[in-house]
Amino acid sequence: MNKKLMTTALSSVLAMSALAGCSGSGGDAKQILRFGVSGFEGAFNPIISSNVYDAWVCDLIFEGLVNVDPEGGYVGELAQDGWVIDEDKHSYTFTLKDGIKFSDGTDLTTADVEFTYNTIKEADYAGPRTAVGAAIEKMNVIDDKTIEFVITPNDFGPAAIENFTYGIISKEHYQHSDWQSLNMLNEKPLGSGIMTLDSWAAKQNVILVKNENYWDAANAAKIDGVNFVNIEEDATLLASLANGEIDFCQLQAKKENVEEVGKTDGIHLVSYLANGYTYMAFNTARPQLNQKEVRQALLYALDRPSFLKQEYGADELAALGMAPISKTSWAYPGDDELNAYSYDLDKANKLLDDAGWTERETVTRTDGSTIECRKNANGDLLQVEWLVYPEATWPTTLSGLAFDSWGQIGVNLIVKQMDFNTVSATTKAGNHGEKNFDIYTMGFSLSVDPDPTGGLFDGDSIDEGSYNCTSWRDERSQELMIAGKQEFDQAKRAEIYKEWAKIQNENVPTAIVAYRAEIWGISDKVSGLDDIGVYTDWTSLVKNVTIAQ
Amino acid sequence: MKNYLIRRILQIIPVFLGILFILFFIISKAPGSITDNIMDPRMTPEMRAALQEKLDPNLPFYVKFWNWIVEALHGNFGFSNQHYKPVVDVIGANIGCTFALALTAMILSMLIGIPAGIVSATRQYSAVDNVLTVFSLAGLAFPTFFLGLLLLKVFAIDLRWFPIFGLSNATLAHAPFLTRLGDMAYHLILPAIVLGLAETASFMRYTRSSMLEVIRSDYIRTARAKGLNEKVVIYKHAFRNAMIPIVTLLGFRIPGLISGALMTETVFSLPGVGKLSVEAVNTRNYPLLLGINAMLTMTTLIATLVADVLYAVVDPRIRYD
């Protein structure tokens, strides 16, 4: 009996693998772009999706009023170019292009646009776009094709255009009674974009097929579909790309990956400096860190070029952090306007001497060694605690370098390890002056517009729950930020941000550590994706993609 | 037996509630919240607080515990705000793969481990025994992720006998059910071998020591003295008795297998609850974390109950009254 059972089980397994073998080889002529990625969660609604992977799916299924152009400007997507900005009424007025239809063939009108933004403004809305809803005071539907958005005085400015990049959803399809019933439609998306959702499986794949009813025939997809396939490990991604199981993927910006792609036939690399930075924030309410000379000295005593070499390996994969404006932005003041804090221990020592940290006391460090730690006249030790999270490798590398070089200038560094979420919670807790940390490091992706208000550098958001955990506030810096937010003339704005960047660069309450690159591996069979860039998402290129068989 | 079963099932309830209570307490002490992951500079502290209130209201842990129990009794296990879906749906989308993987690995390890253990025990200190011992110790000592990467490199990337990633081939999404089932089995072969190998080693070690103990006992000597065939002595008399501790092992290995699947799931990019629970911790997705833990707790409790019942089946001396 047992033997029989086993034989049956074994033979059925064999039969299954034989079946799989057959089906695997059956090829079809459909042109499918296969993207290796992990992290999609199935929230395929542009006003709900909260990670970049779901957002990419949404970008292919939905279209917004405007989209970003390759230079970081804005162009109409559903809206015609030349939208009207009324500075007196604080309003943006958009007119839709002609003949726009959802993928089910129904017309997309301003009623759908209004519905989309009203959904964000609903009381039980619990998605990540609350700020968008709060920025829009009211909407006036003028006719089927024209809609006026009145922006709150606080949010009105050139950056307000970013509220209009989110995909427009169908009013008819997305009727809902509450937040949960709206979410029931996340897996049945209906938009006007070049793809539609065929099916998806959690942590396996997202299968998109061409929108056969796409309203703008000239820009319809040439391929039949896009498959997102879930691959977790970087090494597996690269192997799958080399073996031809996927057509492209984003890789970790590491030297080994660049070299590996270079060595492998049939694939090539695309890389560019990303719109974002890594930073090091100081708690300026601490007696050790409230003098700008001390913060400057700590930066002079940090060999960041060596750090970049050690962490990223290749020069094109990272650039030295200078100011809180992305190096790719039109608002970046230029390297020669800013201090790079080149590694110089003598300068660091002199700054600390001049700042009054002249006394010494023998201190045992966490690794058991002893240093002559600096002290000031009040008896405060120059001792700092740095919160490091292990989810990324760079904070560990950087703090490791600092442990040695800061030790040489008489600063005792204590590295405290905790997970990302705990670092985030610890630094946000408490009002300014009551924060319980000395230094922490993190990375930040930026929006296209350089407006820094509300973020890491805003002296008005330094209390409990805000991003600026440094407790540092400067009147001039605040004035400039507000002026920059309200100025519509880009050249004048650039001047304002130059002065602002120099203030931040000199006072360094938060120092920019590095600007990092993003790298992509792409199969040589795919054409049309090589223009992926800092402001050009791959999703906006899909319409041009063709795949050689 | 019936009384015993009822008693045991009734015991499960307080144990289950106790474990959940401890979990709620630990979670209530963990720093960070689901909104700490949202990194939008335009989100003011007031907006963040309002969102937190909607997603995870600030209540004492015992109140949350009570609410959870009441809702769970109504079949509502909460809402995963990371996925914008009910917890049950999120777990449902991942549990199948984990169970399929754990079950295949378990069967594989039993099919290899138990016979190997018997052979090892009956030929103690022979060349076969030594070789098997070395292999089993190596199997126990080998880190799962390393073995996984090694097999992946050799059999999937270089030889291309097996797929590199995933549970299914995206191009077969609309294929007939049997084809998709076959495709899934094909995708599970390498991961099941990896996960099963460490288990094989422990099954083998347990079987070997258990057999050795039994073989030395008086009734085996009696059986041999009666002039019984050696095969009958080993497989009928000794093996049945040696199986008793193995059955317990079976019950306890199931939760271990599910958590052990984490590494395998990561290396082979499989959907599964192991990875899901790690993500839930990182994003402070407490409803999901509780849902997964409640399910694993229940699985463990039921598995031990089944093991206890199986005791009586393999050992007629054991009676439950």
Side-chain angles (χ1 to χ4, degrees), chain A residues 338-372:
Chain A
L338 303 161
N339 185 353
Y341 293 99
S342 306
Y343 186 54
D344 189 339
L345 291 182
D346 295 335
K347 212 168 192 169
N349 271 319
K350 186 169 181 314
L351 278 165
L352 292 178
D353 287 340
D354 293 349
W357 297 86
T358 45
E359 289 170 48
R360 298 276 184 162
E361 185 180 315
T362 308
V363 164
T364 307
R365 299 204 293 172
T366 47
D367 68 345
S369 63
T370 57
I371 57 162
E372 293 299 309

Side-chain angles (χ1 to χ4, degrees), chain B residues 10-38:
Chain B
L10 286 179
Q11 270 172 9
I12 284 182
I13 297 167
V15 173
F16 180 66
L17 290 180
I19 292 172
L20 276 186
F21 190 78
I22 294 169
L23 254 167
F24 263 86
F25 179 72
I26 293 172
I27 285 175
S28 74
K29 295 290 165 210
S33 67
I34 189 153
T35 53
D36 284 326
N37 277 323
I38 303 174

Side-chain angles (χ1 to χ4, degrees), chain A residues 6 16 20 23 41 43 48 50 123-128 131 134-135 163 179-180 183 186-187 198 200 202-205 207 227 229-233 236 239-240 243 245 419-422 424-425 428 444 454-455 464-467, chain B residues 31-33 36-43 45 47-48 51 54-55 79 82-86 93-94 111 152 156-157 160 164-165 167-168 170 172-174 178-179 181-183 185-186 266-267 269 271 275-276 279 282-284:
Chain A
M6 236 169 75
M16 278 177 187
S23 50
E41 308 274 24
I48 292 174
S50 58
D124 65 346
Y125 174 81
N163 293 312
W179 171 242
Q180 294 219 3
N183 279 290
N186 288 350
E187 294 174 23
D198 175 88
W200 90 287
K203 290 202 166 49
Q204 291 191 63
N205 48 52
I207 300 173
N227 286 358
V229 290
N230 181 60
I231 302 175
E232 313 266 351
E233 299 267 298
T236 318
S240 311
N243 272 16
E245 297 203 24
D419 80 329
F420 179 86
N421 207 305
T422 309
S424 177
K428 281 206 210 80
F444 226 94
E464 176 119 39
S466 299
Y467 289 96
Chain B
S33 67
D36 284 326
N37 277 323
I38 303 174
M39 286 281 162
D40 179 359
R42 295 176 57 195
M43 194 109 166
M47 289 181 200
R48 187 185 296 282
L51 187 64
K54 281 183 214 168
L55 299 181
F79 195 74
Q82 176 197 357
H83 305 85
Y84 302 102
K85 259 202 256 184
N94 289 276
L111 286 182
L152 197 67
I157 295 171
R160 301 194 184 194
I164 303 179
F165 55 81
L167 185 62
S168 61
L172 296 179
H174 298 292
L178 265 184
T179 314
L181 194 70
D183 182 49
Y186 177 49
T266 308
V267 170
S269 303
K275 265 220 91 190
L276 198 65
E279 284 170 17
N282 285 338
T283 55
R284 303 296 190 266

